[in-house]
Amino acid sequence: MKKIILLNIILGMISGLTYGQVPTPAKPQSKPILIKGGTLHDGKGLVIENSIIAFKEGEITAIGNDISTEEYQVIDATGKHIYPGAILPTSQLGLIEIDAVSASNDDRETGYVNTEVRSIVAYNTDSHVIPTVRANGILIEQVMPSGGVFSGRSSIVQLDAWNWEEAIIKENDGQHLHWPSKYRHPSWMNPDKGVKPNKYYGERVKFIRQVLMDGLAYAEAEKHETPNFPLEAIKNLFTGDETLFIHVNDAKSIIEAIQLSQEFKVKNIVIVGGNDAWIIADFLKNHDIPVLLSDVHSLPSLEHDDVDLPFKRAKLLNDAGVKVGLTHSSASNSRNLPFYAGTCVAYGLNKEDALRMITYNTAEILGIEANYGSLEVGKSATLIITKGDFLDMRSSIIEHAFIDGRQIDLNNKHEMLYKKFKGKYEN
C-alpha cells in the first residue's frame, strides 16, 4: 500500500510538471511540405480558392492551383483557410509575465532618457504567455521597452525559440518615444471631471527637443573621443536605419510630434496609439506617416465621441489612404489581435484589408516585408491553417502553424488546463 501511495504521489508530481511546461521549439524543416485544397489569403488582398502552396527549407517555393505533389509531404486543407502568421507590434510579450506581480516583469528602466536600453536582452522565450498568443496565429512580435520619455530600443522576434538570440528577426529596429499628452483626461478614480490642459506639456516638449537636438549634433560630428551612450543609441534615427515610434493619441500632439521629429531630420516615423489620428488623416497621408492603432476594444476618448468610434478608426484611416497596423497594449490580451481586426470588419472595413493590418501592413511598417507578412514565392514559410475564419472568434481554430517552415507545437497552458478540468468535471 505504501508503494502504491508513493507511486501515485510521483505520478501526480510528474503530471503537474507536464502541465507547467512550455512547448519545446520546433526543429528546422526537414521535408518539403505542400498544402492543398485550402482557400489561400496572401495578406495583400489576393484570395485563391482550392489553392496549393509548397515550401522547402523554410522558404515558399510555389503557389497556385496546379503543382505536382511528388516528393512533398502533403497536408490536405480542403474546406480550410491558409493565412500569413499575424504580427504583433509594440508589445511587451516576453517581458511581462503577470501584470500584478512586479517580480515577474522586466519591461522598463527608471529615468527619462533610456535610449541605450535594449529590450531584446530581457526577452524571455520560456514565458508561459507566449504559447497562448502563438496558438491564436500570432507568430511574430516586436518586443518593446517602456518607462520614461525615451524608453529604448525594440527588436523583432519570431515566437518559437530556445533563447532571444535564436528568436531575433531584426535587432534594434527602432526607438520608442512617449509623447506627453496635451490635455489631462479625468479618470474613474478622480472626481474632478472635465478635460484640462497639461501644465507640464511645454516643459516636456522642450526636453524632447533638446534630446533630439543633441542626438543630431552627435550624429553629425566626425568623431568622439568619449562615446555618449544615450546619444550613440539614437544616431540611426537620423540615417534612416532605425525608426522612431512615437506613442501619442491626440491630434494636435501628433502633428507637433511629427513636425519636431522632421525638424531634426528623423527619417522614419510611426505613430503608435493614434486615437485621434483619423481627424488628421490627410496630414498623415501627405507626410507618409503610418499608424499602429492600439486597443480597438476600448472606450471613446471624449464625451462627444461616437460610442463606436474605436471600432471605426481603422476604416476611417484606411479609406483616407493611411497605412494602418493593429496592436494591443496588454501582453496577455494581445492573443486576441485577429479578433480585434474582425471587429473592424464588423464596422465596415473590408475583410482582406483587416487581415492586411495584422500581416503585410505591419511587416512594411516594421521593415520586414521582404521575408514576412505575406504569402509569396521566395518569402519565409511563416503561415497558419485554420478551420473557420481567422478573424472570427466564433469559428477560428488554428490547426497548423509554421514559422520559417518549422511546424510549431500549438499546445499551451490555457489548453492544458482546459483539458485537465474538462476531464475532471465530465467524470
Side-chain angles (χ1 to χ4, degrees):
M1 182 60 69
K2 290 182 180 179
K3 290 181 179 179
I4 293 173
I5 294 172
L6 181 60
L7 179 61
N8 286 332
I9 292 172
I10 293 171
L11 289 174
M13 291 174 65
I14 293 173
S15 175
L17 289 171
T18 302
Y19 277 113
Q21 294 300 312
V22 173
T24 301
K27 295 181 179 179
Q29 183 182 1
S30 58
K31 296 180 180 178
I33 294 175
L34 182 145
I35 305 168
K36 69 173 186 177
T39 300
L40 184 143
H41 307 256
D42 77 341
K44 298 174 73 173
L46 178 65
V47 179
I48 304 175
E49 302 287 346
N50 193 28
S51 69
I52 295 176
I53 178 170
F55 48 96
K56 182 179 181 180
E57 296 179 356
E59 183 179 300
I60 298 173
T61 54
I63 294 176
N65 297 105
D66 186 19
I67 302 169
S68 171
T69 60
E70 292 183 14
E71 76 174 332
Y72 286 98
Q73 173 187 334
V74 177
I75 298 175
D76 187 357
T78 302
K80 299 170 184 176
H81 296 264
I82 306 162
Y83 300 92
I87 303 171
L88 174 64
T90 63
S91 174
Q92 294 176 302
L93 179 66
L95 303 181
I96 291 179
E97 194 69 7
I98 303 172
D99 281 307
V101 181
S102 59
S104 72
N105 304 328
D106 189 7
D107 61 313
R108 63 180 61 224
E109 295 291 340
T110 58
Y112 289 114
V113 180
N114 301 311
T115 52
E116 73 277 24
V117 168
R118 298 169 62 240
S119 61
I120 189 64
V121 298
Y123 176 65
N124 176 23
T125 55
D126 290 325
S127 166
H128 285 277
V129 185
I130 291 173
T132 68
V133 173
R134 189 175 62 204
N136 229 20
I138 301 165
L139 306 182
I140 295 172
E141 175 205 5
Q142 181 193 37
V143 187
M144 172 196 74
S146 64
V149 178
F150 287 86
S151 298
R153 279 170 160 162
S154 57
S155 291
I156 301 165
V157 298
Q158 51 86 5
L159 297 182
D160 184 65
W162 283 107
N163 51 58
W164 64 263
E165 292 91 345
E166 290 183 2
I168 286 176
I169 290 175
K170 186 176 182 181
E171 189 172 3
N172 299 336
D173 71 296
Q175 287 280 348
H176 291 261
L177 165 61
H178 293 265
W179 194 267
S181 176
K182 207 173 185 69
Y183 303 97
R184 294 290 187 188
H185 294 268
S187 69
W188 66 272
M189 296 183 294
N190 186 355
D192 186 14
K193 302 295 183 183
V195 177
K196 296 182 177 181
N198 178 5
K199 62 182 180 180
Y200 300 108
Y201 180 79
E203 180 183 324
R204 297 284 172 83
V205 172
K206 184 178 179 181
F207 175 79
I208 294 169
R209 170 182 286 275
Q210 189 64 54
V211 173
L212 291 176
M213 184 186 300
D214 292 345
L216 178 60
Y218 186 89
E220 292 179 340
E222 293 184 3
K223 65 177 183 178
H224 303 279
E225 293 183 5
T226 303
N228 182 309
F229 293 111
L231 297 181
E232 188 77 31
I234 60 174
K235 281 170 52 175
N236 288 340
L237 294 179
F238 310 106
T239 62
D241 293 323
E242 293 185 28
T243 299
L244 181 61
F245 294 87
I246 306 177
H247 298 249
V248 57
N249 283 307
D250 67 85
K252 289 184 178 180
S253 295
I254 293 173
I255 292 174
E256 288 185 23
I258 291 170
Q259 289 176 338
L260 180 61
S261 301
Q262 291 178 335
E263 178 186 341
F264 292 103
K265 303 179 182 180
V266 175
K267 302 293 185 184
N268 299 318
I269 301 168
V270 174
I271 298 300
V272 181
N275 286 354
D276 293 344
W278 62 278
I279 299 173
I280 54 168
D282 289 341
F283 174 84
L284 295 169
K285 181 183 177 183
N286 293 337
H287 287 78
D288 194 24
I289 305 294
V291 177
L292 290 171
L293 277 178
S294 183
D295 297 2
V296 169
H297 287 188
S298 61
L299 294 173
S301 303
L302 301 172
E303 289 183 5
H304 61 264
D305 283 344
D306 179 354
V307 69
D308 295 330
L309 179 60
F311 311 141
K312 299 176 181 178
R313 289 177 181 135
K315 176 175 167 52
L316 292 170
L317 286 166
N318 188 69
D319 289 351
V322 178
K323 186 179 296 178
V324 180
L326 301 181
T327 185
H328 198 273
S329 59
S330 165
S332 55
N333 288 332
S334 61
R335 66 184 182 276
N336 292 319
L337 182 67
F339 308 144
Y340 302 141
T343 297
C344 296
V345 174
Y347 284 82
L349 187 64
N350 175 274
K351 186 174 290 186
E352 299 306 316
D353 286 341
L355 174 66
R356 189 176 179 128
M357 289 181 184
I358 59 172
T359 55
Y360 189 70
N361 275 12
T362 303
E364 280 194 306
I365 292 169
L366 300 184
I368 58 172
E369 75 280 5
N371 291 311
Y372 299 95
S374 62
L375 301 180
E376 299 177 74
V377 173
K379 286 193 172 185
S380 167
T382 298
L383 55 94
I384 58 174
I385 303 173
T386 73
K387 179 182 177 182
D389 185 346
F390 182 36
L391 307 186
D392 182 3
M393 67 180 297
R394 298 166 300 179
S395 63
S396 177
I397 299 175
I398 312 299
E399 294 196 339
H400 300 278
F402 298 87
I403 296 179
D404 298 326
R406 301 178 297 115
Q407 187 157 10
I408 306 306
D409 186 345
L410 293 176
N411 285 317
N412 61 84
K413 197 165 186 177
H414 289 179
E415 183 72 16
M416 289 187 286
L417 289 173
Y418 168 75
K419 289 178 180 178
K420 175 181 177 179
F421 289 104
K422 183 173 184 286
K424 174 182 178 180
Y425 290 108
E426 281 184 347
N427 296 327

